[in-house]
């Protein structure tokens, strides 16, 4: 294939006109290119022309009028280091021409070669210089790239001697390029196995021996020049020449300390609860799986504990999630301090914790730990100036009798926990097979409750409060019932506790309050004399942060004056946090709402709170009324409550009045009002409207 002819301007710096003419003649008829020749006779003229650019090559004589010898070449080379320079050696010693070549000239030509070698020599010189320039640029580009990438790069020759380090490699090894070049790889790049601490195999040697890219040893540590160790990752590969022969190796590596630290953190976060840093459900299930394998292999037992805090929702709703979260953290610390190092405490979410006891000799061992856990919670927790009490209920299941997989063991421990909760706070209960039947019933009830509000299955019944002397209806209490599609009309005892546990009680309570207020207004609008309507409020509702605003909103929406709404709360609900309770009650009183203590006499024995709380009504618990005749002690309690209420200016109402004897006894004790089956069972809306229309006076007197 014929090469294309070159074009360009040749600068001839030569004093001899004959040589200049010969060169012009040779280049004008050349098959190797079309060259224009610019001839100058002095060095100064040549340097001036080089300053104007546009020259493809230089033909230089070293015997000029204003410069002689090697100094002439050096001046031209300094002015045009990137141009090909050919020395004209016709009238100078060949040794001098060779010296110029050693210092940077591409070649030299004798006088006899000018006519036929010059064109080809010029073409080759120009092409060679162009190739050299291209290679130089590529090399510079490669060096810039290697110096700017984020990975460390280190090269060796076949013998394992270092030939190159980029800046990142300098930083990671602690060796500069100048210090490292010529040294053995192992001296600069010292790596050990992170597990065994032994020297790791030379990756360069492996790459050269196997003639392929190889990965670094897993868990490889680089020991920097100052002795600092850190993990590195990546690979080594052989370097080949044009013939495919291996001439050395290159290793590319990077520090993975941060990546491994982040990976470790991410793994920890994936397996641990963010709030308490306890193992989460994922890690717990893995450890239960390990415990199952070990127990089957060794034919041993292990236990699973399900712990649920009692009344945590009250604290969370009344004091806020920030306080609730800190309480959970305090609980977690106590639980961890109460178990063995081999045990696993996991937070499942909310206030639920599951504890794995991977090795027990006897179920009683698990019972002992359960008691220890409950005991650790009994002391009050101080959180942001609040003194909080958080007891727990515990259920236990044992492998393999109560389940042979993690889900079953946890589920059965959960079932047992609910049975412990039914016994009261601060108890534990082992799983029994018949508990599942009750658990299924409970789950069915809970599932039905979630749909009951949507489907409108709740209804209110109304029971009058009566003046014991005149029979006049003085008020009414709204009582919620659930019209279950399969089980019929259910009393509150069969669904309210479940609603409290599953968090539906607040929504249900608001529905009851709104419906009761709407009905009171409906009776008023129908022409009946306005009477106060009473609504029971659970402790969870009362501690809900939106309770007071909810009451205000409902009164506004239904247009019921606050004085015709009476909220009944138990002593235990009021005494959870006396200071907070007093504040909430004062807010309700500012709306005109009447406040009653339900089941009075069954809760706290201290009566000092009666002076602190703006209470209007005391309702004597029906258990005292039912046993007045048979128990002198209870009869005395009823008298004391009536006298206490009268002395404090409170209205006193007796609950559960069922006989004339009880009514008469209460009148003797100066109790003015009562409520119970003697006067009326809870009635529907229409039946209670008829009762308001006809009255109860004759029925009571007669």
């Amino acid at each position: 294939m014929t090469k294309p002819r070159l074009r360009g301007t040749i600068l001839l710096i030569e004093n001899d006109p004959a040589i200049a003419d010969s060169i012009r003649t040779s280049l004008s008829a050349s098959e190797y290119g079309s060259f224009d020749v610019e001839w100058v006779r002095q060095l100064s003229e040549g340097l001036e022309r080089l300053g104007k650019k546009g020259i493809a090559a230089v033909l230089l004589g070293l015997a000029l009028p204003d410069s002689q010898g090697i100094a002439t070449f050096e001046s031209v080379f300094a002015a045009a280091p990137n141009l090909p320079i050919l020395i004209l050696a016709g009238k100078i010693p060949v040794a001098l021409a060779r010296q110029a070549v050693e210092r940077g000239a591409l070649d030299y030509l004798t006088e006899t070669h000018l006519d036929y070698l010059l064109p080809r020599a010029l073409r080759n010189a120009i092409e060679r210089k162009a190739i050299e320039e291209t290679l130089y640029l590529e090399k510079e580009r490669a060096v810039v790239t290697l110096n700017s990438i984020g990975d460390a790069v280190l090269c060796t020759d076949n013998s394992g001697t270092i030939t190159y380090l980029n800046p990142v490699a300098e930083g990671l090894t602690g060796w500069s390029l100048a210090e490292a070049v010529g040294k053995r790889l192992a001296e600069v790049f010292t790596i050990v196995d992170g597990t065994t601490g032994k020297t790791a195999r030379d990756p360069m040697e492996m790459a050269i021996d196997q003639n392929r890219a190889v990965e670094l040893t897993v868990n490889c540590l680089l020991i920097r020049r100052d002795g600092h160790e850190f993990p590195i990752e990546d690979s080594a590969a052989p370097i080949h020449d044009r013939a495919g022969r291996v001439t050395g190796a290159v290793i590319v590596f990077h520090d993975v300390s941060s990546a491994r630290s982040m990976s470790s953190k991410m793994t920890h976060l994936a397996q641990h609860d963010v709030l308490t840093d306890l193992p989460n459900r994922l890690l717990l299930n893995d450890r239960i799986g390990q415990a199952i394998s070990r127990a089957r292999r060794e034919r041993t037992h292990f236990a699973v504990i399900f712990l649920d805090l009692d009344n945590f929702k009250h604290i969370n709703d009344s004091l806020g999630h920030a306080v609730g979260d800190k309480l959970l953290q305090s609980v977690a610390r106590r639980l961890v301090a109460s178990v063995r190092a081999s045990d696993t405490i996991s937070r499942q979410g909310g206030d639920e914790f599951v504890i794995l006891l991977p090795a027990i000799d006897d179920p009683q061992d698990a019972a002992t730990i359960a008691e220890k856990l409950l005991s650790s919670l009994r002391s009050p927790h101080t959180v942001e100036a609040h003194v909080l009490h958080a007891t727990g209920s515990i259920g236990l299941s044992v492998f393999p009798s109560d389940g042979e997989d993690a889900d079953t063991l946890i589920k059965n421990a959960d079932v047992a926990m609910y049975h412990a909760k039914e016994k009261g706070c601060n108890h534990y209960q082992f799983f029994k097979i018949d508990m599942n039947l009750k658990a299924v019933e409970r789950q069915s009830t809970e599932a039905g409750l979630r749909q009951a509000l949507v489907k409108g299955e709740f209804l209110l019944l109304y029971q009058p409060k009566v003046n014991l002397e005149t029979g006049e209806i003085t008020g009414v209490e709204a009582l919620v019932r659930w019209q279950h599609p399969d089980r019929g009309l259910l009393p509150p005892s069969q669904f309210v506790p479940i609603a409290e546990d599953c968090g539906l009680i607040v929504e249900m309570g608001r529905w009851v309050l709104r419906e009761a207020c709407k009905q009171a207004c409906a009776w008023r609008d129908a022409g009946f004399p306005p009477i106060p309507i009473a609504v029971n409020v659970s402790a969870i509702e009362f501690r809900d942060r939106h309770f007071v605003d909810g009451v205000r909103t409902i009164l506004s929406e239904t247009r019921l004056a606050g004085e015709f709404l009476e909220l009944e709360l138990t002593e235990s609900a009021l005494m959870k946090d006396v200071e907070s309770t007093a504040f909430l009650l004062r807010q309700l009183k500012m709306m005109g709402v009447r406040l009653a203590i339900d089941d009075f006499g069954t809760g706290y024995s201290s009566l000092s709170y009666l002076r602190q709380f703006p209470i209007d009504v005391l309702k004597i618990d029906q258990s005292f009324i039912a046993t007045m005749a048979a128990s002198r002690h209870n009869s005395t309690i009823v008298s004391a409550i009536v006298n206490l209420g009268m002395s404090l200016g409170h209205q006193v109402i007796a609950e559960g009045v069922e006989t004339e004897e009880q009514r008469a006894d209460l009148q003797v004790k100066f109790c003015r009002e009562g409520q119970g089956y003697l006067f009326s069972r809870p009635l529907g809306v229409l039946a209670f409207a008829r009762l308001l229309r006809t009255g109860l006076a004759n029925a009571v007197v007669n």
Side-chain angles (χ1 to χ4, degrees):
M1 181 177 178
T2 304
K3 293 184 178 180
R5 288 161 54 87
L6 289 179
R7 297 183 63 83
T9 298
I10 307 301
L11 177 63
L12 172 62
I13 307 175
E14 170 58 50
N15 187 42
D16 189 334
I19 293 176
D21 288 342
S22 176
I23 289 173
R24 283 176 169 170
T25 301
S26 175
L27 293 180
S28 62
S30 172
E31 61 180 291
Y32 294 101
S34 176
F35 301 107
D36 296 326
V37 179
E38 293 188 17
W39 175 39
V40 297
R41 304 180 68 170
Q42 298 191 49
L43 174 64
S44 58
E45 293 175 323
L47 295 178
E48 181 181 357
R49 178 61 187 86
L50 288 173
K52 297 177 182 179
K53 311 299 180 182
I55 300 300
V58 177
L59 295 176
L60 177 63
L62 298 182
L64 303 176
D66 57 349
S67 180
Q68 302 290 319
I70 198 66
T72 304
F73 166 75
E74 289 180 342
S75 296
V76 173
F77 186 75
N82 297 321
L83 290 180
I85 301 173
L86 295 176
I87 303 300
L88 301 175
K91 295 182 178 181
I92 62 171
V94 173
L96 182 60
R98 289 174 178 170
Q99 186 180 359
V101 171
E102 291 174 357
R103 298 196 180 189
L106 282 186
D107 207 346
Y108 67 91
L109 296 170
T110 62
E111 187 174 357
T112 57
H113 296 156
L114 291 179
D115 54 348
Y116 66 91
L117 286 182
L118 178 60
R120 186 172 61 183
L122 271 176
R123 177 187 179 120
N124 290 343
I126 293 171
E127 288 181 342
R128 178 180 169 187
K129 197 66 178 179
I131 291 171
E132 286 180 354
E133 186 66 21
T134 300
L135 291 175
Y136 175 80
L137 291 175
E138 289 180 355
K139 179 181 178 182
E140 283 297 301
R141 189 179 297 113
V143 170
V144 170
T145 300
L146 291 175
N147 287 346
S148 61
I149 64 175
D151 284 345
V153 179
L154 187 154
C155 300
T156 71
D157 59 19
N158 264 339
S159 65
T161 300
I162 291 177
T163 58
Y164 173 76
L165 277 80
N166 74 346
V168 178
E170 290 180 316
L172 293 183
T173 63
W175 289 80
S176 69
L177 174 60
E179 294 173 311
V181 169
K183 287 186 168 54
R184 301 293 298 172
L185 176 66
E187 186 177 352
V188 174
F189 188 70
T190 305
I191 53 175
V192 298
D193 187 301
T195 303
T196 65
K198 296 181 180 179
T199 300
R201 187 175 177 186
D202 185 339
M204 300 291 202
E205 184 181 288
M206 288 192 293
I208 292 173
D209 288 349
Q210 299 175 27
N211 194 20
R212 65 179 182 85
V214 297
E215 299 293 327
L216 291 185
T217 303
V218 177
N219 195 24
C220 183
L221 298 179
L222 172 64
I223 303 177
R224 199 165 58 197
R225 191 175 187 181
D226 61 7
H228 177 67
E229 298 180 2
F230 52 89
I232 59 171
E233 285 182 357
D234 229 314
S235 60
I239 300 173
H240 300 92
D241 61 14
R242 290 186 177 182
R245 294 184 295 267
V246 177
T247 61
V250 59
I251 179 171
V252 180
F253 59 98
H254 57 276
D255 181 357
V256 293
S257 301
S258 298
R260 288 192 180 176
S261 175
M262 180 59 69
S263 176
S264 177
K265 289 178 181 177
M266 294 300 292
T267 300
H268 184 85
L269 287 173
Q271 296 180 337
H272 289 77
D273 172 53
V274 175
L275 179 64
T276 62
D277 202 39
L278 294 175
N280 61 14
R281 189 187 304 270
L282 179 68
L283 183 53
L284 174 72
N285 284 352
D286 180 68
R287 291 187 179 175
I288 292 179
Q290 295 177 30
I292 290 173
S293 298
R294 183 169 54 252
R296 285 175 175 162
R297 184 172 59 252
E298 300 174 0
R299 296 187 178 181
T300 56
H301 306 279
F302 69 86
V304 171
I305 290 177
F306 197 107
L307 184 150
D308 182 87
L309 297 182
D310 300 317
N311 302 317
F312 173 75
K313 186 170 175 26
H314 308 340
I315 296 171
N316 215 31
D317 291 344
S318 61
L319 300 181
H321 292 289
V323 172
D325 287 348
K326 290 182 179 178
L327 174 59
L328 289 173
Q329 291 170 340
S330 177
V331 167
R333 287 191 293 270
R334 292 192 186 181
L335 296 180
V336 170
S338 301
V339 299
R340 305 163 300 185
S342 60
D343 300 332
T344 297
I345 297 183
S346 165
R347 180 174 177 237
Q348 299 292 285
D351 60 338
E352 296 177 343
F353 298 84
V354 174
I355 299 96
L356 167 65
L357 310 178
I360 58 171
D361 295 326
D362 185 89
Q364 186 55 43
D365 296 340
T368 300
I369 294 177
E371 290 174 347
K372 189 176 181 181
L373 291 169
L374 293 176
S375 177
S376 72
L377 299 179
R378 290 191 185 111
S379 299
H381 302 255
T382 301
V383 178
E384 293 186 355
H386 299 284
V387 178
L388 306 176
H389 297 269
T391 58
S393 297
I394 281 179
L396 300 99
S397 61
V398 178
F399 176 88
S401 58
D402 299 331
E404 297 191 17
D405 60 79
D407 289 343
T408 303
L409 288 164
I410 294 173
K411 178 180 72 69
N412 288 343
D414 186 12
V415 169
M417 181 276 295
Y418 274 108
H419 282 263
K421 197 176 282 286
E422 289 176 359
K423 295 169 61 177
C425 299
N426 211 38
H427 285 86
Y428 70 86
Q429 181 76 50
F430 278 96
F431 174 75
K432 298 176 183 176
I433 193 65
D434 61 349
M435 290 180 177
N436 271 327
L437 297 176
K438 293 183 178 180
V440 170
E441 181 180 339
R442 177 190 174 86
Q443 289 172 354
S444 174
T445 300
E446 181 177 331
L449 276 173
R450 296 186 182 279
Q451 297 296 319
L453 277 172
V454 178
K455 295 180 178 179
E457 294 173 358
F458 290 116
L459 58 89
L460 294 184
L461 299 181
Y462 302 91
Q463 188 174 38
K465 298 178 182 180
V466 178
N467 183 301
L468 296 179
E469 182 177 353
T470 66
E472 177 188 3
I473 297 176
T474 58
V476 58
E477 180 176 1
L479 302 167
V480 66
R481 298 290 188 270
W482 180 10
Q483 187 64 58
H484 194 282
D486 301 319
R487 297 160 60 189
L489 195 65
L490 301 182
S493 60
Q494 293 188 26
F495 62 88
V496 167
I498 298 175
E500 290 180 333
D501 287 341
C502 68
L504 292 173
I505 193 65
V506 173
E507 186 179 359
M508 183 190 303
R510 287 183 182 171
W511 179 87
V512 170
L513 182 60
R514 179 175 280 104
E515 289 299 308
C517 291
K518 285 168 59 177
Q519 188 56 56
C521 290
W523 284 327
R524 178 199 63 196
D525 294 343
F528 293 109
I531 56 173
I533 189 164
V535 175
N536 286 284
V537 177
S538 73
I540 296 177
E541 291 176 78
F542 183 64
R543 294 296 169 186
D544 182 78
R545 65 178 62 187
H546 303 299
F547 176 70
V548 172
D549 288 338
V551 173
R552 184 181 292 110
T553 299
I554 289 172
L555 289 176
S556 174
E557 290 176 351
T558 59
R559 297 178 295 107
L560 180 69
E563 62 189 286
F564 294 108
L565 173 63
E566 185 174 292
L567 300 180
E568 297 187 0
L569 302 110
T570 62
E571 293 173 277
S572 57
L574 295 174
M575 293 302 294
K576 289 293 180 184
D577 184 333
V578 172
E579 184 178 343
S580 172
T581 295
F583 174 74
L584 294 174
L585 295 181
R586 285 194 297 270
Q587 286 188 297
L588 293 169
K589 287 301 295 180
M590 289 175 65
M591 300 180 214
V593 174
R594 290 165 55 83
L595 302 171
I597 299 180
D598 199 13
D599 302 332
F600 187 79
T602 61
Y604 289 81
S605 58
S606 173
L607 302 179
S608 62
Y609 68 89
L610 289 177
R611 293 184 289 103
Q612 301 179 49
F613 300 157
I615 300 300
D616 299 294
V617 180
L618 301 181
K619 297 190 73 175
I620 306 174
D621 186 71
Q622 59 185 348
S623 62
F624 297 117
I625 306 303
T627 57
M628 278 192 307
S631 171
R632 181 178 178 182
H633 177 73
N634 284 349
S635 179
T636 302
I637 290 176
V638 172
S639 296
I641 293 174
V642 173
N643 292 331
L644 175 66
M646 292 173 60
S647 65
L648 293 175
H650 298 327
Q651 180 182 350
V652 178
I653 299 177
E655 294 185 288
V657 181
E658 297 185 353
T659 67
E660 281 290 347
E661 181 182 6
Q662 291 170 350
R663 181 186 66 81
D665 196 359
L666 288 167
Q667 283 185 283
V668 169
K669 298 180 188 303
F670 299 102
C671 179
R672 293 190 174 88
E673 293 185 52
Q675 178 181 349
Y677 284 3
L678 175 64
F679 313 114
S680 173
R681 292 177 176 273
L683 302 173
V685 173
L686 296 178
F688 192 81
R690 286 195 296 270
L691 193 66
L692 288 175
R693 189 175 297 110
T694 59
L696 284 169
N698 291 333
V700 173
V701 172
N702 296 332

